Amino acid sequence: MANSNVDATPVAAKPTITHVIFDMDGLLLDTEKFYTEVQEKILARYNITFDWSLKARMMGKKAIEAARVFVEETGISNSLSAEDFLVERETMLQSMFPTSELMPGASNLIKHLHAHGVPICVATGSHKRHFELKTQSHGELFALMHHIVLGDDPEVKQGKPSPDGFLAAARRFEGGPVDPKKCLVFEDAPSGIQAAKNAGMSVVMVPDPRLDSSFHAIADQVLTSLLDFNPAEWGLPPYKKAAC
């Protein structure tokens, strides 16, 4: 049964995990704030407030899919098309993405898993151009990934909550495809959580605290931060205990 509270409480009957798949935006990199800021600015022209119920429906999706949700749900589609929204948003985001910072605990967890030989990768809805802008200050860390599956990858026919990205990630590990039951996904977005479950994988959710807790239900574990993750609970190499 999944945790409904945001905490580090362990979940019973975990499967044997051999491979780890990370989402990127809002999970490894603090980039969701950029999307929020830009979308707030665009909606302000129409005297509409950008709220977290809308944000939740957009998170994790491919750009054009999220854009359609944005213009349709806010009722501005007659004034601004999804395509024009993306062009305008892109202009503002270009200067923001290179300043992307790592989320707390991301570097430590990635380096720990890599050092202990646990195969890791990224499966993100971001396309190649955005990925390169967002990670340009973090190349060494992302180089530890076995592979990266991007949103514009030809094997990813549909964005999250479709499992395409996560299943492609499982296929590309050495000796793949890896059994989905042996993969642990880290996600922050409701659509990403659903995508992981649709792929038959276990998923740890690290949600933004502003996200409604009703979205926590299907995750196998919910944490307030990657700092709270205990690898040993999932049969992964434990962190070394600090010396007294």
Side-chain angles (χ1 to χ4, degrees):
M1 185 175 178
N3 290 342
S4 58
N5 297 319
V6 181
D7 57 29
T9 305
V11 185
K14 293 187 179 69
T16 301
I17 297 300
T18 59
H19 295 66
V20 173
I21 304 173
F22 292 100
D23 172 49
M24 184 177 73
D25 292 288
L27 188 281
L28 296 180
L29 293 177
D30 188 12
T31 50
E32 286 294 345
K33 64 183 180 184
F34 300 143
Y35 291 101
T36 299
E37 181 181 339
V38 167
Q39 285 150 195
E40 284 175 343
K41 287 180 179 177
I42 291 173
L43 281 185
R45 297 204 306 264
Y46 302 93
N47 294 314
I48 299 172
T49 302
F50 183 65
D51 62 37
W52 265 82
S53 62
L54 175 57
K55 173 83 171 175
R57 293 193 289 277
M58 295 176 67
M59 290 171 70
K61 295 182 181 293
K62 284 191 173 186
I64 189 61
E65 295 169 355
R68 290 187 186 118
V69 170
F70 182 83
V71 299
E72 290 167 10
E73 295 280 339
T74 56
I76 65 170
S77 56
N78 290 334
S79 304
L80 184 68
S81 70
E83 291 76 14
D84 288 342
F85 161 72
L86 287 180
V87 170
E88 183 174 350
R89 188 180 75 165
E90 179 76 12
T91 302
M92 292 188 268
L93 289 175
Q94 288 280 354
S95 62
M96 295 179 172
F97 284 157
T99 67
S100 299
E101 297 178 342
L102 291 168
M103 295 292 281
S107 179
N108 191 39
L109 178 56
I110 290 169
K111 290 177 179 177
H112 170 77
L113 294 175
H114 181 266
H116 287 83
V118 177
I120 54 178
C121 76
V122 165
T124 174
S126 288
H127 52 67
K128 184 177 180 180
R129 185 176 69 258
H130 282 180
F131 174 82
E132 290 173 348
L133 287 172
K134 293 169 182 176
T135 61
Q136 67 181 37
S137 296
H138 311 291
E140 288 186 13
L141 191 66
F142 280 85
L144 300 180
M145 301 294 174
H146 182 271
H147 55 277
I148 310 284
V149 177
L150 300 173
D152 53 356
D153 188 291
E155 284 191 45
V156 183
K157 305 297 184 186
Q158 293 181 294
K160 302 168 185 178
S162 162
D164 288 7
F166 291 133
L167 292 176
R171 284 193 295 271
R172 294 181 193 177
F173 281 117
E174 186 173 346
V178 175
D179 183 349
K181 293 183 177 63
K182 295 183 177 180
C183 296
L184 179 62
V185 173
F186 285 84
E187 261 285 359
D188 68 306
S191 63
I193 302 299
Q194 189 62 60
K197 301 309 289 185
N198 289 342
M201 300 175 180
S202 297
V203 57
V204 173
M205 186 181 197
V206 190
D208 187 290
R210 292 166 290 185
L211 186 69
D212 191 280
S213 60
S214 63
F215 290 109
H216 299 174
I218 66 168
D220 295 287
Q221 188 173 33
V222 182
L223 305 175
T224 56
S225 165
L226 288 174
L227 291 168
D228 297 326
F229 180 66
N230 181 356
E233 288 183 3
W234 290 90
L236 294 167
Y239 286 127
K240 290 182 179 179
K241 292 183 179 180
C244 296

